[in-house]
Amino acid sequence: MSNSDNAHGHWPEGYGRVVLDSVDSTMAEAARRAPLLDRPTWIMARRQTAARGRRGRPWVVPPGNLNATLIFKPEATAVEAAKRSFLAANALYQALAIYVPAEKLALKWPNDVLLSGGKVAGILLESSGQGPFVDWLSIGIGVNLRHTPQGVTDASFPPTSLMAAGGWEVAPQDFLAVLADAYATQEDKLRHFGFSRIRDDWLANAARLGDVITARTGREDVTGIFDSIDQDGNLVLITGTGPRAIPAADVFF
């Protein structure tokens, strides 16, 4: 079953919406629908049977939590498209701050949202394209609204949920409407002000900015002061040998 009604709050103009009862993953469904895409479209599933997170890790999705993917065709290179993770993080921060005090929230580089120190949301990007621009980009988002996933043993930050942290109860489809509207605003900011504005907004809510953190790249651990993110979204650490720009890593506090 699917629907595209407007019954769950304000829905941004120009964006489509598909709601499914069950799917293997919204990311996989987005890839299947990409060739026929005529506008940016959010795909939400009440149940996923094969959800995954960053680096192929399983993403545990109890009922009542949000599983959604935005699929669209930006005029962007792969590097520019990857910056959309920061737009998504800003939108998640704004959406969650409606239901829980904002001071409990923080954005963890590169793609997580923390709530009272635990992971409440994750972002996963995928794209396809052989030319100078990507053919399509999908932004997968999982948010623990009602339930805290159990049995997660390999996470650098333990999972939490909106309700576990004292937030208001909200249905996934209602939260999606708030999130979609917030994300559309981020795209408007990017179009009018460029990535510098997105970067500034992200840094204003960044977890542990100015503190000593460790970035694990797979080849090495780099420890330094979290100074900033650069114009490409790389993590910038001040180390004993000078600044280091790190394009991909797991971060530990």
Side-chain angles (χ1 to χ4, degrees):
M1 183 182 73
S2 67
N3 68 52
S4 56
D5 62 79
N6 241 1
H8 293 267
H10 174 73
W11 190 258
E13 184 178 355
Y15 285 74
R17 170 172 48 183
V18 175
V19 180
L20 305 170
D21 280 336
S22 181
V23 73
D24 49 355
S25 80
T26 58
M27 293 291 273
E29 182 66 14
R32 289 190 288 265
R33 291 174 181 254
L36 303 176
L37 200 66
D38 64 352
R39 57 178 171 164
T41 300
W42 283 93
I43 300 170
M44 180 190 130
R46 297 186 177 92
R47 179 173 176 268
Q48 291 187 119
T49 59
R52 66 191 187 282
R54 189 163 170 261
R55 297 184 178 177
R57 296 170 179 138
W59 178 265
V60 182
V61 193
N65 291 350
L66 176 72
N67 328 288
T69 294
L70 173 64
I71 174 90
F72 63 116
K73 298 177 178 180
E75 282 195 16
T77 65
V79 171
E80 292 296 318
K83 296 179 184 179
R84 257 64 179 202
S85 65
F86 296 97
L87 279 70
N90 287 343
L92 274 167
Y93 184 96
Q94 294 298 325
L96 285 163
I98 293 174
Y99 303 99
V100 72
E103 58 267 22
K104 292 186 175 184
L105 297 165
L107 302 178
K108 175 179 168 286
W109 186 90
N111 55 5
D112 293 337
V113 182
L114 303 181
L115 173 55
S116 298
K119 181 174 176 177
V120 71
I123 301 161
L124 179 66
L125 269 62
E126 290 184 353
S127 63
S128 176
Q130 302 299 321
F133 296 115
V134 299
D135 291 337
W136 53 263
L137 172 70
S138 59
I139 304 174
I141 293 177
V143 186
N144 300 329
L145 297 173
R146 181 186 294 269
H147 301 292
T148 301
Q150 302 300 310
V152 180
T153 59
D154 63 345
S156 54
F157 290 79
T160 188
S161 67
L162 186 65
M163 290 195 67
W168 297 358
E169 182 174 2
V170 56
Q173 200 162 334
D174 294 333
F175 186 83
L176 178 62
V178 175
L179 175 61
D181 193 44
Y183 184 84
T185 298
Q186 291 293 311
E187 284 285 345
D188 287 342
K189 285 186 177 182
L190 180 66
R191 185 162 50 252
H192 288 101
F193 306 114
F195 183 69
S196 292
R197 174 64 179 272
I198 303 299
R199 173 181 172 272
D200 289 346
D201 289 348
W202 189 92
L203 285 169
N205 300 307
R208 300 298 181 94
L209 188 66
D211 291 351
V212 174
I213 65 173
T214 297
R216 183 167 296 164
T217 68
R219 296 189 306 271
E220 61 177 334
D221 286 1
V222 182
T223 298
I225 297 171
F226 177 14
D227 181 64
S228 187
I229 60 171
D230 65 18
Q231 287 297 326
D232 289 326
N234 297 321
L235 178 70
V236 179
L237 297 183
I238 305 301
T239 73
T241 58
R244 285 279 303 272
I246 299 170
D250 286 327
V251 168
F252 298 87
F253 301 156

